[in-house]
Each structure stands twice: as structure tokens, then as C-alpha cells.
Amino acid sequence: MITLGIDTSCDDTSVALVKDTEILGNLVSSHLVHSEYGGVVPEFASRTHTSLLYPMLEGALRTAVITLEEVDLIAATSGPGLLGALLCGLSFAKGLAQASGIPFLAVNHMEGHIYSLYLSHPGLSEPFLALLVSGGHTELILVTAEFSYIELGATLDDACGEAIDKVGKLMGLSYPAGPLMEKLAREADEPIRLPRPHPKDMDFSYSGLKTAVRNYLASHPETKRQDVAAGLQEAAFDHLTDRVTRAVRGYDVEKVGLAGGVAINKRLRAKLEEAGKNFGFSVLFPKDELCTDNAAMIAAAGAARYSRLGASSMDVPAFDRARLGERTA
Ligand code: KG4
Ligand code: ZN
């Protein structure tokens, strides 16, 4: 089955074609317009999605060397994300489905990130823990069976990637700061020491860390940027690792999958792998091109849902917030 995936949840426009677990084409266009503002400007994101969608559809079909007639399903993200941005891709997908008679399926973006793991590791079986770490989300989900999720923890304030981006702004790095933060951290001599957040249970909190860096910079203005970057990464990633090890012990799982834009970070991967050795769990990562927002993971999630549950209604709305799994407590 060939699925056309579309994701416009934030500031990347992505159009992909996926045949079963084979990615025929996965085009991602990251909007540069936001970098000079130090964060995403929602109206610019919507306008950019609108102008990119059609040429990117043509580009994806050319890359995959197929025609629209060969597509069996159109899957688009309906949320969570920026409402205006979501509406661009969702309306485009619905219009295309209506005009072509191809079935349509609405996909939850976070489920899409979980499918970046299934797509990268065909045959991946449940149960496993999914740690979703991006600019908009920090969530720990127990995947008990296909489409069955229990949310064990989520951020109480900033997302991990958002905190990295905000500290990057304080340090004068362009948005998004994650890649440069990782590069700077590798060149550190003496990482600054920052407090580790300790919110209750398996939740996350990153706003205090951001304030701690701001205060540190105010009282130590001469500190090398490399040492700040490394100190931030150590604290931010120790917090993630701490929650994962709690969940592994509490729920007796053997596999942990990392996903989302921050999942590409090598230091985070090393920390999780080290924790895996110490606590007896294996760690799975998505392919590099499936970490940041992309439509291949949306196509994969859409195809899985469609084959088990059928198409979505054309009335399905865009939504800015939603939990993927119910809280147990
Ligand atoms: O999943 P994603 O593309 O979009 C959202 O849904 O947010 O994630 C983007 C986030 C940004 O906060 C960005 O700074 C972060 O991923 N990121 C990284 C790295 N590359 C991107 N964070 C740490 N290290 C990286 N190498
Ligand atoms: Zn995302």
C-alpha cells in the first residue's frame, strides 16, 4: 500500500510517500523565516506551508517516481501543533482526497513520532517505552499494544527542546539552537554545574533550568559558551534519563524508544545507552531523517490505523493540544 503523508504541525512543511515500510520519498522544508525572530511566528508558518504544499507534493511524486493515481491513502497530521499551520496541511489533504477519491486519514502527530520507531525498526513489538523529546513536547509513553498508550509523564512547563532553544537565544545562537548547542558542548573544557529538576513522579520540568542558566550567565559573564552548552545538555539529559529509569523499574519494560527532534543528539543517545547497560534495557533510535518532524512517520502511522480501523471522516478537526494516552494517576 502506498501512503501519501503530510505534516504541517509547526515550522517544517513535509510531504512523503511510503510503501509499507519503504520510504519512497520524504521531503522536509524547514522554514528559515523564523530564525531571525528567535522562535516560530505562527502566521509566517501558515503562509509558508500554503505556498510550499503543492510544489512539494509534485516533488515527492517525482522523487518516488509515481503518480497520484498510484496512491492508496492520504494521511495528514490533525494535531497537536499550531492550529493555523495544521489547518494548511489538513485542508490540503482533505481537498486532495475529495478530488481524487483516495481515502483520507487524520494522524496524531505524537503517534507519528512513535511510528518513526516502527518505521526504523520493522518488527518492533510492544510493550516498549517511548520517550518523545522535541521543541513542543516532552512525554514518556508506555506503548502496551498497537494504538494503546499510557502517558506516564509529560512536561509541566517548557519542553526539553524549547528550553535548549530558549537558552540558545540567551547565548545569541540562532533558532533552532539544538544542533549548534550539541556542537558547542563537544568542545567544552569544564561544563558548568546546573541543578537537576525534580518534579513529582515521572513528569518533566525545564523552566527552572532555563532560569538557572540565565542567573549563571548574569553572575559569570566570562564563562565560555562551550561550557554553558555542555552544562545545559548534561542537566537536561540527566533529567530525561532519570525519568526513563524510574519508568523502566516501575513498569518492568525491556525496550525504550527515543523519538522527536532532540533524539538526534549523540550525547543524549549515549546517556540513555549507558543507563540501559546499568538498568538492563535496550534503547532504539529512529533513523536520523525521521527524528525531526517529517511526513514519512505520519504516512506510516496513517497506514497502520487505516488498515486496522478504516478511513477518517472528512469532518475531523485540527486540534492544538491533546494527550496521546490517558494518565494512570
Ligand atoms: O520534532 P521537532 O523537529 O519539532 C517539534 O515538534 O518541536 O524538534 C525540534 C527540536 C528543536 O527544539 C531543536 O532545537 C531540537 O529539536 N534539536 C536538537 C538537535 N537538533 C534539533 N536538540 C538537541 N540536539 C540536536 N542536535
Ligand atoms: Zn514533532
Side-chain angles (χ1 to χ4, degrees):
M1 183 169 94
I2 298 182
T3 305
L4 167 67
I6 294 176
D7 185 77
T8 59
S9 54
C10 191
D11 59 339
D12 299 297
T13 310
S14 184
V15 179
L17 286 154
V18 174
K19 183 178 184 181
D20 306 321
T21 54
E22 185 192 354
I23 300 172
L24 305 178
N26 183 25
L27 304 190
V28 182
S29 177
S30 302
H31 308 174
L32 296 176
V33 61
H34 308 287
S35 62
E36 63 181 287
Y37 298 93
V40 180
V41 184
E43 181 58 26
F44 287 160
S46 304
R47 290 184 205 187
T48 314
H49 287 309
T50 306
S51 60
L52 285 175
L53 276 165
Y54 192 73
M56 286 183 69
L57 168 66
E58 288 188 315
L61 289 168
R62 262 199 313 276
T63 308
V65 205
I66 61 163
T67 62
L68 189 60
E69 288 70 43
E70 291 172 76
V71 170
D72 301 295
L73 176 71
I74 298 176
T77 304
S78 55
L82 296 172
L83 259 189
L86 288 162
L87 278 169
C88 300
L90 190 63
S91 314
F92 182 83
K94 284 181 184 175
L96 198 62
Q98 201 117 46
S100 61
I102 300 169
F104 160 76
L105 202 119
V107 176
N108 180 305
H109 182 79
M110 304 317 289
E111 186 167 71
H113 276 299
I114 291 176
Y115 271 80
S116 71
L117 291 164
Y118 286 111
L119 200 49
S120 304
H121 303 276
L124 170 61
S125 62
E126 306 83 12
F128 64 90
L129 265 182
L131 176 64
L132 311 180
V133 197
S134 71
H137 299 271
T138 309
E139 288 175 18
L140 191 56
I141 310 271
L142 180 62
V143 186
T144 53
E146 197 180 24
F147 314 133
S148 293
Y149 309 108
I150 300 172
E151 184 191 285
L152 304 181
T155 186
L156 302 174
D157 39 60
D158 289 351
C160 179
E162 182 183 3
I164 292 174
D165 293 337
K166 286 180 175 170
V167 170
K169 196 173 176 185
L170 288 177
M171 291 164 62
L173 311 184
S174 66
Y175 173 87
L180 188 52
M181 197 70 80
E182 178 173 13
K183 185 171 174 289
L184 286 172
R186 276 200 296 269
E187 297 157 2
D189 296 322
E190 209 177 316
I192 64 168
R193 183 80 201 155
L194 292 166
R196 271 52 177 162
H198 284 291
K200 65 172 177 51
D201 304 327
M202 280 172 261
D203 282 327
F204 303 88
S205 170
Y206 279 102
S207 66
L209 194 55
K210 184 187 60 191
T211 310
V213 177
R214 179 182 290 128
N215 292 343
Y216 190 95
L217 290 175
S219 52
H220 304 79
E222 304 305 320
T223 313
K224 274 177 57 182
R225 292 196 311 172
Q226 288 83 346
D227 293 344
V228 178
L232 171 71
Q233 282 202 165
E234 292 305 300
F237 299 161
D238 278 351
H239 185 32
L240 294 174
T241 309
D242 170 65
R243 304 288 124 157
V244 166
T245 51
R246 281 178 190 222
V248 164
R249 279 186 306 218
Y251 291 85
D252 201 20
V253 282
E254 291 170 358
K255 283 172 282 187
V256 176
L258 177 67
V262 185
I264 196 140
N265 188 290
K266 291 208 168 56
R267 183 66 187 141
L268 172 57
R269 290 182 177 208
K271 276 191 180 286
L272 280 173
E273 278 180 328
E274 195 188 322
K277 277 195 199 109
N278 295 336
F279 291 91
F281 61 89
S282 59
V283 193
L284 305 168
F285 307 114
K287 290 178 181 161
D288 283 358
E289 68 273 24
L290 299 180
C291 287
T292 43
D293 286 349
N294 67 87
M297 68 185 193
I298 302 301
R305 270 201 181 262
Y306 177 71
S307 55
R308 279 270 297 275
L309 306 166
S312 300
S313 149
M314 282 292 178
D315 295 338
V316 62
F319 58 90
D320 55 353
R321 285 168 188 276
R323 290 194 189 287
L324 189 53
E326 292 301 316
R327 299 298 290 257
T328 48

